[in-house]
Amino acid sequence: MQFTIVTGLSGSGKTQVIRFLEDAGFFCIDNLPPVIIPQLAEMFLSVNSKYDKVAFVIDSRVGDMIGQLIDNLKILKENGYNYKLLFIDSSDEVLVKRYKETRRTHPIPSKLGLLDSIQKERKMLEKLYNEADAVIDTSNYSLQQLSKRLRRIYHDEAKHDIAINVMSFGFKYGLPLDADLVFDVRCFANPFYVDTLKDKTGNDKEVQDYIMNTKTASDFMDKLEDMIDFLVPLYIEEGKTALTICIGCTGGKHRSVTMANILAKNLAKYNVNVIHRDILRGKE
């Protein structure tokens, strides 16, 4: 079982870190009192098959209890648990700017203003900063850069990287709202006009053979597969966790279904799901 404890300054980007960890398969708990960490670790271990990666967010919102975190982490280590302590930091200037933009209240009150609150919190978390297995300063990071840094730290946990939906659809029923990439295959031979094929679908071999036995259709699929093979690693590197590739024909029954099935087979090394949105609707 792998545990991550995320801590750091308010406004430094812990929410984005937790979103990354959730996408990497971690079960995440926010704003946790440190004293219950050992009991929770024991509980999660008892259902290890379901929760093998767990992340806790513990920061100054718990008040003076934050001082108990190091002692409770020592208990984890003594009991043989594997954990990372991840500290998220940012400069005072950037934190002031972020708080001014969001207009949120800092969890450490101060009559001397926001900067004093930030400096008090920094002092409160100093020991955790020194004990951290990794420190990420987000002062000059975009979300993409933060994701890249986290992938370097959690490279084993993030190997699933991306889930791909390959969707066939009919243009006559409208574009899919969640499409990332859309390809139009209405330019290829239409089985609807063949009496023996019009009532079949792109899931039937006869329809697939009719469409793909033309050089233009087979060339198109070769080029499409090459492009998708090129693009998917770039999306993964960017930090994208889900991709919807849509292939459309007139009614979403023959051509788009055939080519969506072929493309999905080529992408089998990823977590791929095939959706035929309009295959059961009216005639093409």
Side-chain angles (χ1 to χ4, degrees), residues 13-24:
K14 296 188 295 296
T15 298
Q16 284 71 34
V17 173
I18 285 299
R19 288 172 180 166
F20 171 89
L21 292 174
E22 287 177 339
D23 289 341

Side-chain angles (χ1 to χ4, degrees), residues 57-87:
V57 181
I58 305 169
D59 53 33
S60 63
R61 289 173 293 172
V62 300
D64 293 338
M65 286 189 292
I66 193 67
Q68 303 170 6
L69 179 54
I70 291 178
D71 290 337
N72 284 280
L73 291 179
K74 288 179 180 178
I75 295 175
L76 281 186
K77 184 174 291 186
E78 290 168 359
N79 290 334
Y81 291 103
N82 177 32
Y83 73 86
K84 286 187 178 79
L85 177 59
L86 183 61
F87 193 99

Side-chain angles (χ1 to χ4, degrees), residues 130-199:
N130 293 330
E131 291 284 335
D133 296 297
V135 176
I136 301 179
D137 187 334
T138 66
S139 300
N140 299 308
Y141 274 11
S142 66
L143 287 177
Q144 290 181 3
Q145 290 170 325
L146 176 59
S147 294
K148 287 181 181 180
R149 176 68 189 280
L150 289 167
R151 282 198 297 275
R152 288 197 294 269
I153 296 173
Y154 293 96
H155 55 92
D156 291 332
E157 291 84 348
K159 281 183 178 176
H160 70 284
D161 284 325
I162 195 165
I164 300 176
N165 286 323
V166 179
M167 180 185 296
S168 69
F169 72 97
F171 277 97
K172 67 191 294 183
Y173 303 114
L175 287 169
L177 294 177
D178 55 347
D180 294 303
L181 299 171
V182 177
F183 299 95
D184 184 352
V185 296
R186 288 175 292 183
C187 54
F188 301 117
N190 190 352
F192 177 78
Y193 297 108
V194 179
D195 290 339
T196 58
L197 300 178
K198 66 184 301 183
D199 293 326

Side-chain angles (χ1 to χ4, degrees), residues 192-229:
F192 177 78
Y193 297 108
V194 179
D195 290 339
T196 58
L197 300 178
K198 66 184 301 183
D199 293 326
K200 296 181 182 293
T201 74
N203 288 329
D204 295 306
K205 187 176 186 303
E206 301 95 320
V207 172
Q208 296 169 5
D209 290 344
Y210 177 84
I211 295 170
M212 299 310 301
N213 280 344
T214 64
K215 187 175 186 305
T216 52
S218 60
D219 285 349
F220 169 82
M221 282 307 308
D222 288 342
K223 294 178 185 299
L224 178 60
E225 289 173 353
D226 283 345
M227 181 172 65
I228 298 300
D229 285 341

